[in-house]
Amino acid sequence: MTIQWFPGHMTRAKRQIEEKLKLIDVVIELLDARIPQSSRNPMIDEITGAKPRLILLNKADLADSERTAEWSRYFRDKGHMTLAIDANSGTGVKEIAGKAKELLKEKIQRQIDKGMKPRPIRALIVGIPNVGKSTLINRIAGRNIAITGDRPGVTKGQQWIKTGGDLELLDTPGILWPRFDDPIAGFRLAATGAIKEDVLHIDEVACFVLQDLVRGYRPILAERYGLTDLPAELPDLQSAVDVLEQIGRRRGCLAGGGHVDYEKAAGIVLRELRAGKLGRMTLESPDEFSETASEPTT
Ligand code: G4P
C-alpha cells in the first residue's frame, strides 16, 4: 500500500463516509493502541460530526497495557466512550455492543418511552488503512467477508452484519487517511507497519523509533540487543544512529570494510518491534499531547 492522499482523495473519502453516516446510529473509530494519536485521522471530528462515537484501541495485544489504560482515560476525559480490543484473537470484541448501547442509552430510552421496540444499533467502523477494520468486521461476522473498497453508489448495495444481539454492522468500513502532515506521526505509522517502509527511509524510521523506545522501554532494549551503556535519552539523530550502529554490530549486520549495514539493522529492529518480540510497547503517551488543546487531533 502506498499512501497517496491528495485533496481529491480526501474529499471523496469524506463524502463516502458522510453517505454512510446517514444509515447508522454510531461510529466505531478504530485506532492502533500502540500509536493512538498518530493513527487518528486529523479530521475525524469534522467528518463524523455529531454522530455518537465509540473509540476502540485495537491491537491492544501488542501495546503496553498501562499505557493503554492511560489512553483510555485520556479519551474518556474528552467525553469519548473507549474500549481496548484485540480483533485478531477477539479479546474485548463481545463488549462492543454493550458499549454502543451505553452510548445510545438516552435515544433507546426515548424509543421505549414512546412504546417502540428498540431495533439493533447500526454501526460503521472507520479507521486508517491497516488498523484492523477488516479483521474486526470478520471477527464480528464470525466468517470471512470479502471486504472491498468503496465504489460509487456502493452504499445502496451494502449489507448489515448481524451480531446476533443488539448491534448491526455495515459490511464495508470507512477508510480514513492517516496523519501524513505530521512527520512524527509518519515515523510512528511507518514503525508499526501502517504505512509502507518505502515511503520513508527505513533507517530513519528505526532511528526515530529508537528514541521512543529508549524513552519508554530502555531496560528491555538494552537487554534485547546487549547495549551495555545505553543512555536514558537519545536527544538527537546522531545518538540514535550510534545505537543503531551498536545493534548492527551485535547482530552481525556488516557491509564491506567493516561498516555497519544500517538498513539491515533497522530492518531487524522494526521487524522485531512489529512482531511483539521486544514485548508489548506503546510508542506515544497522552502526556505528549495533553497540553496542546482540548481536542488536539483537529
Ligand atoms: P484494515 O482492514 O484496517 O486495512 O486492516 P486489516 O484488518 O487488514 O489488518 C491489518 C493487519 O493487522 C493484519 O495483519 C491483521 O491480522 C493485523 N491485526 C488486526 N487486528 C489486530 C490485533 O488486534 N492484533 C494484532 N496483533 N494484529 C491485528 P496481516 O494480514 O498479517 O498484515 P500485515 O501484518 O502483513 O500488515
Side-chain angles (χ1 to χ4, degrees), residues 24 42 52 60 66 71 80 117-118 126 129 131 141 149 165 177 186 220 243 259-260 264 270 272 274 276-277:
I24 56 138
E66 271 179 41
W71 276 108
H80 296 298
K117 185 174 178 290
V126 301
V131 75
W177 60 95
I220 299 173
V243 171
H259 295 296
V260 165
K264 211 167 170 186
L270 295 177
E272 295 193 351
R274 288 176 197 149
K277 292 207 171 129

Side-chain angles (χ1 to χ4, degrees), residues 8 22 47 79 102 110 130 183 235 264 293:
K22 296 176 199 150
I47 294 169
E102 211 178 316
R110 279 200 300 277
N130 231 12
K264 211 167 170 186

Side-chain angles (χ1 to χ4, degrees), residues 24-26 97-105 108 118-123 160-161 163 165-169:
I24 56 138
D25 304 303
V26 59
K99 289 277 181 187
K101 232 174 146 179
E102 211 178 316
L103 201 57
L104 294 173
K105 64 173 186 285
I108 295 170
R119 57 164 176 77
I121 295 168
R122 295 188 150 178
W160 293 100
I161 296 166
T163 62
D166 303 319
L167 189 70
E168 283 181 7
L169 206 64

Side-chain angles (χ1 to χ4, degrees), residues 58-62 85-88 128-136 193:
N58 191 36
K59 309 199 185 187
D61 56 309
L62 297 174
I85 65 159
D86 163 7
N88 251 359
I128 64 167
N130 231 12
V131 75
K133 298 178 295 301
S134 314
T135 309
L136 180 59

Side-chain angles (χ1 to χ4, degrees), residues 35-255:
I35 48 167
Q37 180 74 352
S38 297
S39 60
R40 272 201 115 180
N41 175 276
M43 285 171 68
I44 186 71
D45 289 345
E46 193 186 312
I47 294 169
T48 62
K51 202 56 91 173
R53 194 173 352 138
L54 168 61
I55 293 180
L56 298 185
L57 298 170
N58 191 36
K59 309 199 185 187
D61 56 309
L62 297 174
D64 172 338
S65 50
E66 271 179 41
R67 285 266 178 95
T68 300
E70 283 173 28
W71 276 108
S72 298
R73 266 197 306 279
Y74 171 85
F75 287 122
R76 264 201 306 275
D77 288 351
K78 295 195 176 301
H80 296 298
M81 188 82 71
T82 309
L83 179 67
I85 65 159
D86 163 7
N88 251 359
S89 76
T91 306
V93 171
K94 283 208 165 73
E95 290 165 51
I96 297 173
K99 289 277 181 187
K101 232 174 146 179
E102 211 178 316
L103 201 57
L104 294 173
K105 64 173 186 285
E106 284 167 17
K107 187 176 170 185
I108 295 170
Q109 191 55 49
R110 279 200 300 277
Q111 291 173 341
I112 294 171
D113 292 346
K114 284 185 192 158
M116 291 157 72
K117 185 174 178 290
R119 57 164 176 77
I121 295 168
R122 295 188 150 178
L124 165 70
I125 291 177
V126 301
I128 64 167
N130 231 12
V131 75
K133 298 178 295 301
S134 314
T135 309
L136 180 59
I137 291 176
N138 286 327
R139 167 67 54 190
I140 289 175
R143 62 187 191 278
N144 269 353
I145 292 185
I147 292 162
T148 51
D150 275 302
R151 292 179 306 277
V154 80
T155 38
K156 292 193 189 72
Q158 265 158 344
Q159 304 288 321
W160 293 100
I161 296 166
K162 307 211 187 308
T163 62
D166 303 319
L167 189 70
E168 283 181 7
L169 206 64
L170 211 53
D171 71 346
T172 312
I175 302 170
L176 294 167
W177 60 95
R179 304 184 68 93
F180 60 88
D181 53 332
D182 170 359
I184 293 179
F187 283 128
R188 287 176 178 157
L189 286 162
T192 54
I195 59 177
K196 274 219 164 173
E197 279 162 7
D198 53 11
V199 179
L200 294 163
H201 290 290
I202 180 173
D203 37 2
E204 249 189 287
V205 174
C207 283
F208 181 87
V209 87
L210 281 171
Q211 292 176 296
D212 279 340
L213 295 180
V214 166
R215 209 173 295 125
Y217 307 100
R218 184 180 165 276
I220 299 173
L221 203 67
E223 193 186 323
R224 175 96 194 164
Y225 298 112
L227 305 168
T228 43
D229 51 0
L230 187 60
E233 277 280 332
L234 300 180
D236 50 31
L237 183 63
Q238 188 52 52
S239 56
V241 171
D242 293 344
V243 171
L244 188 62
E245 176 162 3
Q246 283 183 55
I247 293 174
R249 291 202 184 281
R250 299 288 302 197
R251 290 297 180 93
C253 308
L254 296 178

